[in-house]
């Protein structure tokens, strides 16, 4: 187990999400590239994605999701002393998107920083914030996954442009005293992994130091698919091993929303019943770091995820990076 008996545990106070107003359906995409609604739905489950308006940046999406999460949690921005933003599509090379959101929320105390783990960004940000809170250094964290992948997509490449969209999701965590029991609310355990040998399978072909450009996303889809289904389940098994809990104990499985087939095959491999899967990928496509909190916010808002439920988060992204977080909601 990654934790002994913690003095503090990170309890979820609320979640929120934001999707840009403009949608792009499969039918509309079929007018841009040689594809079809049938192909996209059959291979990915995606029906539509949201696209940020001109001038609408990642920090603007993140701020809206943050405000929704603050309202859901019933806390004010001034109560937050730690902001961690998972993003691979920052507004600027620097300063960080997190500091832009901090300023937009009117917060002038505490600390805000970005964390880059591509589609695993939210799970990595959550695991990081959880460790800060558990250490006692900070009291209330705002964890955000926010992306504008539409800005790094090659819109002439049908093998990638059909998959991604823009959005943001956020979570408020609070450090609360805990005896360390599995039935007590809060983040029970987190497990992060990375393996940089896989860069060529999923990368952006630009960057400030290498090319002085922003670049476009490139992907070997089949290889990513194989890795996502084949390898990533290890971090979920690590979470079960660390807590003595099993797939049967889970109420909800909230994986990265990249592709419905990956989600279903991962759940099947882990012995997680189909009715425990939270899937929103059909509504927004792959929003990278925003995908897990978008799914969480949807399931919390419609009453599926309730206080006391056992929720497993899982994500995989470029690098590769991958991780899990097991939460007593
Ligand atoms: N529309 C129609 N046909 C297409 C499209 C499209 N949009 N894209 C590819 N095709 C064609 C291919 O050219 C190929 O044609 P061919 O047989 O004549 O050569 C055929 O469809 C099959 O292509 P495959 O690549 O074999 O299709 P596959 O079944 O592997 O599905 C997909 C492709 C959906 C990309 C799948 O591999 C996948 O989901 N991979 C994982 C992607 C992913 O989740 N990435 C994000 C990871 S997270 C992150 O960090 C960003």
């Amino acid at each position: 187990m990654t934790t002994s008996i913690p003095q503090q545990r990170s309890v979820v106070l609320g979640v929120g999400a934001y999707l840009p107003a403009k949608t792009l359906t499969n039918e509309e995409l079929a007018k841009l590239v040689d594809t079809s609604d049938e192909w996209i739905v059959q291979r990915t489950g995606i029906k539509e994605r949201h696209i940020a308006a001109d001038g609408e940046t990642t920090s603007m999406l993140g701020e809206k999701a943050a405000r929704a999460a603050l309202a859901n949690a019933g806390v004010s921005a001034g109560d937050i002393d730690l902001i961690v933003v998972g993003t691979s599509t920052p507004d600027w090379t620097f300063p960080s998107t997190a500091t832009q959101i901090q300023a937009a929320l009117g917060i002038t105390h505490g600390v805000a920083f970005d964390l880059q783990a591509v589609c695993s960004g939210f799970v990595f940000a959550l695991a990081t914030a959880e460790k800060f809170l558990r250490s006692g250094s900070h009291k209330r964290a705002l964890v955000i996954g926010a992306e504008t992948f539409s800005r790094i997509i090659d819109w002439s490449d049908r093998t990638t442009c059909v998959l991604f969209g823009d959005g943001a999701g956020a979570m408020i965590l609070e450090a609360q005293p805990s005896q360390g029991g599995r039935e007590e609310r809060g983040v029970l355990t987190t497990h992060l992994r990375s393996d940089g040998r896989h860069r060529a399978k999923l990368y952006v072909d630009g960057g400030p130091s290498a090319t002085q450009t922003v670049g476009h996303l490139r992907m070997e889809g089949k290889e990513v698919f194989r890795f996502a289904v084949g390898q990533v389940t290890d971090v979920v098994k690590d979470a079960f091993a660390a807590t003595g809990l099993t797939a049967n104990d889970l109420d909800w499985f909230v994986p990265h929303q990249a592709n419905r087939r990956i989600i279903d095959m991962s759940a099947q491999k882990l012995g997680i019943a189909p009715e425990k899967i939270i899937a929103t990928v059909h509504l927004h496509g792959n929003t990278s770091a925003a995908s897990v909190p978008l799914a969480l916010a949807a399931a919390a808002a419609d009453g599926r995820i309730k206080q006391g439920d056992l929720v497993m988060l899982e994500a995989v992204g470029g690098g590769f990076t991958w991780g899990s977080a097991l939460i007593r909601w």
Side-chain angles (χ1 to χ4, degrees):
M1 185 157 181
T2 55
T3 57
S4 52
I5 296 179
Q7 301 293 305
Q8 300 285 322
R9 186 174 279 181
S10 303
V11 173
V12 179
L13 296 186
V15 283
Y18 177 75
L19 289 165
K22 180 179 159 39
T23 56
L24 182 62
T25 64
N26 292 347
E27 289 81 4
E28 288 167 321
L29 257 178
K31 293 176 192 151
L32 301 176
V33 289
D34 182 14
T35 190
S36 65
D37 176 55
E38 189 192 5
W39 192 95
I40 300 170
V41 170
Q42 190 196 34
R43 295 299 218 284
T44 73
I46 298 165
K47 288 293 293 176
E48 63 180 18
R49 66 288 294 143
H50 292 247
I51 307 292
D54 288 346
E56 191 177 31
T57 64
T58 296
S59 71
M60 294 177 192
L61 307 189
E63 180 199 346
K64 288 200 168 101
R67 289 191 187 281
L70 288 166
N72 183 244
V75 301
S76 68
D79 296 327
I80 300 296
D81 57 1
L82 171 66
I83 303 174
V84 189
V85 177
T87 188
S88 307
T89 46
D91 292 17
W92 308 100
T93 302
F94 77 75
S96 68
T97 300
T99 55
Q100 301 305 288
I101 295 172
Q102 181 191 30
L105 293 173
I107 303 173
T108 53
H109 62 272
V111 62
F113 58 89
D114 286 0
L115 192 155
Q116 208 267 56
V118 201
C119 301
S120 307
F122 181 79
V123 172
F124 275 53
L126 170 64
T128 303
E130 186 269 330
K131 289 180 202 305
F132 273 68
L133 296 189
R134 190 148 44 83
S135 78
S137 67
H138 293 76
K139 179 69 182 161
R140 251 172 248 101
L142 167 59
V143 182
I144 301 173
E147 304 275 19
T148 46
F149 261 50
S150 65
R151 306 266 158 76
I152 55 165
I153 292 301
D154 175 352
W155 286 101
S156 66
D157 176 9
R158 69 174 183 173
T159 68
T160 53
C161 77
V162 303
L163 303 174
F164 294 92
D166 302 335
M171 175 185 277
I172 311 292
L173 289 170
E174 181 179 76
Q176 292 184 6
S178 165
Q179 297 302 311
R182 297 187 309 194
E183 302 308 316
E184 286 178 70
R185 294 185 65 203
V187 179
L188 302 187
T189 190
T190 60
H191 299 266
L192 306 182
R193 288 290 321 280
S194 63
D195 185 343
R197 290 174 299 174
H198 300 280
R199 175 188 177 275
K201 292 168 191 157
L202 180 54
Y203 66 103
V204 171
D205 62 7
S209 186
T211 63
Q212 301 83 58
T213 63
V214 171
H216 291 109
L217 182 148
R218 306 294 173 202
M219 179 172 72
E220 292 176 28
K222 264 197 197 321
E223 290 298 318
V224 176
F225 193 104
R226 198 170 293 140
F227 187 85
V229 176
Q231 176 71 46
V232 171
T233 45
D234 63 354
V235 287
V236 175
K237 288 179 184 157
D238 288 345
F240 288 139
T243 54
L245 293 161
T246 70
N248 289 335
D249 297 313
L250 287 185
D251 293 294
W252 302 108
F253 178 51
V254 189
H256 174 41
Q257 308 288 313
N259 178 318
R260 184 68 213 219
R261 283 193 300 151
I262 296 176
I263 292 172
D264 291 342
M265 286 166 80
S266 302
Q268 191 180 24
K269 197 175 156 200
L270 288 161
I272 298 170
E275 60 272 19
K276 295 181 178 179
I277 298 171
I278 306 285
T280 52
V281 65
H282 57 294
L283 300 171
H284 50 66
N286 184 348
T287 57
S288 186
S291 93
V292 167
L294 276 168
L296 276 175
D302 68 20
R304 274 177 292 173
I305 298 182
K306 297 179 293 299
Q307 195 167 312
D309 281 357
L310 189 65
V311 183
M312 177 70 80
L313 315 187
E314 172 262 306
V316 54
F320 290 134
T321 58
W322 65 110
S324 67
L326 186 56
I327 302 175
R328 180 72 66 188
W329 203 259

